[in-house]
């Protein structure tokens, strides 16, 4: 929920890092807005205006602080304290729909009028959809200018600008300085890398362990402490590597092969997969009211729910894992990728040992594919084809603006998909934090209870039931059972 002004001011006085990114302080007397952790002298209470995001501060006429760098704050939890329509809209903006189709196209996709959409954004975020998109681009560009030695044109296109001229204008407007004056003074990142920040506590190694046992051979792997992965970005392909930074609050993302113009998409997908925008303090405070979850949280601080690089791929991964082990599902997905995926050519395929060089098949490639040929049972192969057909026909929406309730109905209407699979798809592929497979045997065993009793107990965990499920899946009692795909 939105924070009360008095709470914000106390957090500002204490420079409490738990609130970093949850709000920004606009100071009326200076015309500057800051993060809660800004080292500058704390302004008087009557000079402070507390805003939910950086775009709201800039829309109100404030400029970013040069000391605390608002663009470097961890991501604001997009689903917290906003309407479902705004949450879906933010994901569509991140996917570039606003750039492609304008506010009208965004409103149509969300099923509302343009005026109503603007009103919702201003009500919940303090800024219009256009202002949100502009701030997002300019802040990502500022981060690249400060943290890399990339040439200005490369920074501009990596941040989603169509021209260097528009990039220069946007940076001047947001920061009141030309791009060259935003250049960092420290040691820049190595070529082709960016740093992404998480809100502490953050255990990147635990997430890598989770992703490692679910890695699809040929498409991805965790090797020498880093995740290597082939991404499908529209009609393009990229090969990336993600590894923990030396400090515990950052990830380092490296683009080994691909177009630098896709950097924003790569950064957004990495944030989703590693759940970087999660607010551990809020989630922990809420779930910790249950004694069992409090015990789990004591040993596993900073709960996260791993997301999806590709929602369609993750949906099939979960579908194929319904009745078999995690390792068995990975093997089947690997066969599916090897037989029907796209094997990359150099330079995209040029890696240390060629172990990661396949793009997972898109839905179109599987509509009529002879999937039985890879040793998959006929009924399961039919289920895979049905999902692919539904996606191609537009009968199953797994995109960034999908309505979770509608997608749940669409999934349950498909053969071979039950409530367990549908909830896991919502949790990981659609990033629905309250999705919860109450019938999961592992969850029931962890609490030594029935599905009905589990569902009743989980009502108190809303809106973070998905995080509670991840905690319980990590208990020894749940380990032998099915776990999140």
């Amino acid at each position: 929920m939105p924070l009360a002004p008095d709470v914000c001011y106390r957090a500002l006085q204490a420079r409490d890092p738990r609130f970093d990114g949850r709000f920004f302080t606009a100071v009326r007397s200076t015309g500057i807005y800051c993060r809660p952790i800004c080292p500058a002298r704390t302004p008087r209470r009557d000079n402070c205006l507390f805003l939910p995001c950086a775009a709201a501060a800039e829309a109100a006429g404030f400029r970013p602080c040069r000391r605390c760098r608002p663009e470097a704050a961890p991501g604001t939890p997009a689903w917290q304290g906003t309407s479902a329509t705004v949450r879906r809209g933010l994901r569509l903006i991140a996917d570039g729909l606003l750039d492609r189709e304008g506010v009208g196209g965004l409103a149509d996709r969300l099923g509302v009028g343009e005026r109503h959409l603007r009103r919702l954004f201003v009500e919940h975020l303090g800024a219009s959809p256009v202002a949100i998109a502009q701030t997002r681009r300019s802040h990502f560009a500022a981060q690249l200018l400060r943290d890399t030695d990339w040439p200005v044109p490369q920074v501009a296109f990596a941040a989603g600008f169509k021209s260097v001229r528009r990039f220069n204008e946007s940076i001047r407007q947001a920061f009141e300085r030309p791009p060259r004056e935003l250049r960092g003074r420290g040691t820049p990142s190595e070529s082709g890398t960016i740093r992404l920040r998480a809100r502490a506590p953050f255990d990147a190694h635990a997430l890598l362990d989770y992703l490692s046992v679910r890695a699809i051979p040929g498409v991805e792997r965790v090797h020498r402490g880093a995740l290597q992965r082939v991404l499908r970005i529209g009609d393009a392909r990229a090969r990336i590597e993600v590894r923990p930074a030396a400090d515990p609050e950052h990830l380092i993302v490296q683009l080994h092969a691909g177009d630098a113009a896709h950097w924003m998409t790569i950064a957004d997908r990495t944030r989703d997969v590693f759940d970087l925008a999660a607010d551990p303090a809020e989630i922990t405070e809420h779930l910790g009211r249950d004694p069992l979850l409090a015990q789990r949280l004591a040993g596993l601080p900073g709960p996260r729910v791993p997301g999806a690089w590709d929602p369609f791929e993750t949906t099939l991964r979960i579908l194929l894992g319904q009745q078999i082990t995690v390792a068995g599902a990975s093997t089947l997905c690997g066969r599916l990728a090897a037989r029907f995926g796209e094997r990359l050519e150099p330079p995209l395929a040029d890696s240390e040992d060629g172990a990661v060089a396949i793009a997972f098949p898109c839905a179109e490639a599987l509509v009529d594919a002879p999937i039985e040929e890879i040793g998959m049972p006929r009924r399961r192969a039919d289920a895979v084809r049905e999902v692919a057909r539904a996606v191609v026909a537009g009968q199953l929406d797994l995109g960034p603006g999908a309505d979770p309730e509608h997608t749940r109905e669409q999934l349950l209407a498909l053969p071979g998909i039950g409530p367990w699979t549908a909830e896991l798809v919502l949790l990981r592929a659609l990033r629905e934090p309250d999705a919860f497979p109450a019938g999961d045997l592992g969850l029931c065993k962890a609490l030594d209870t029935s599905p009905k009793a589990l569902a009743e107990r989980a009502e108190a965990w809303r809106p973070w039931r998905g995080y509670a499920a991840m905690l319980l899946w990590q208990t020894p009692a749940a380990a032998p059972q099915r776990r999140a795909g």
Side-chain angles (χ1 to χ4, degrees), residues 393-474:
Q395 298 168 348
L396 174 59
D397 187 0
L398 298 173
D403 182 316
E405 294 302 321
H406 188 45
T407 299
R408 180 186 284 111
E409 295 174 2
Q410 294 173 326
L411 286 164
L412 293 175
L414 295 173
I417 293 183
W420 182 87
T421 301
E423 293 300 314
L424 262 293
V425 171
L426 295 184
L427 181 63
R428 290 203 56 204
L430 266 62
R431 311 299 297 135
E432 173 52 51
D434 201 41
F436 188 71
D440 183 84
L441 298 179
L443 297 180
C444 292
K445 189 170 183 179
L447 276 76
D448 191 21
T449 191
S450 67
K452 180 180 179 181
L454 173 62
E456 292 174 353
R457 182 171 183 172
E459 283 299 306
W461 303 339
R462 290 183 182 272
W464 313 112
R465 293 186 304 170
Y467 288 83
M470 291 302 298
L471 286 168
L472 293 172
W473 271 315
Q474 292 172 290

Side-chain angles (χ1 to χ4, degrees), residues 38-52:
C38 186
R41 185 176 65 181
T42 303
R44 289 168 43 189
R45 172 67 179 82
D46 58 358
N47 276 333
C48 295
L49 176 64
F50 301 108
L51 298 165

Side-chain angles (χ1 to χ4, degrees), residues 185-410:
R185 298 179 180 178
T187 304
S189 301
E190 60 187 283
S191 178
T193 71
I194 59 172
R195 288 164 57 88
L196 300 179
R197 184 171 183 176
R199 188 174 285 101
F202 175 62
D203 189 346
H205 297 285
L207 285 164
L208 286 172
D209 288 344
Y210 179 94
L211 296 169
S212 177
V213 297
R214 291 161 177 79
I216 299 174
V219 176
E220 59 186 350
R221 69 172 177 174
V222 175
H223 181 61
R224 297 178 180 174
L227 185 144
Q228 301 169 349
R229 164 85 203 194
V230 172
L231 287 182
R232 183 187 296 274
I233 304 174
D235 294 330
R237 311 291 176 262
R239 186 164 49 81
I240 66 168
E241 180 174 297
V242 183
R243 64 182 184 273
D247 66 272
E249 295 178 16
H250 284 88
L251 286 176
I252 295 175
V253 186
Q254 183 167 10
L255 177 63
H256 284 290
D259 191 335
H262 296 132
W263 257 122
M264 280 193 74
T265 298
I266 292 169
D268 287 335
R269 292 194 190 181
T270 304
R271 290 189 183 100
D272 269 355
V273 169
F274 288 85
D275 201 9
L276 298 188
D279 189 340
E282 172 74 14
I283 297 168
T284 298
E285 190 277 331
H286 185 80
L287 296 182
R289 298 167 190 168
D290 186 305
L292 176 64
L293 296 183
Q295 183 180 10
R296 294 301 303 154
L297 287 164
L300 297 165
R304 311 276 166 168
V305 174
W309 296 107
D310 178 338
F312 174 69
E313 172 192 312
T314 298
T315 297
L316 294 192
R317 176 72 177 73
I318 294 168
L319 172 64
L320 295 177
Q322 289 180 131
Q323 303 296 333
I324 59 178
T325 64
V326 170
S330 296
T331 298
L332 273 181
C333 286
R335 293 177 185 170
L336 197 68
R339 176 68 172 79
F340 304 106
E342 176 187 351
R343 189 168 293 278
L344 304 182
E345 300 295 331
L348 281 169
D350 287 345
S351 59
E352 181 181 331
D353 52 15
V356 177
I358 299 174
F360 193 82
C362 60
E364 290 80 0
L366 297 177
V367 167
D368 296 310
I371 300 174
E372 296 86 353
E373 294 180 1
I374 66 171
M376 190 180 295
R378 177 62 181 269
R379 183 172 297 181
R380 195 167 297 159
D382 286 340
V384 170
R385 283 189 288 261
E386 286 300 320
V387 170
R389 288 168 186 156
V391 169
V392 172
Q395 298 168 348
L396 174 59
D397 187 0
L398 298 173
D403 182 316
E405 294 302 321
H406 188 45
T407 299
R408 180 186 284 111
E409 295 174 2
Q410 294 173 326

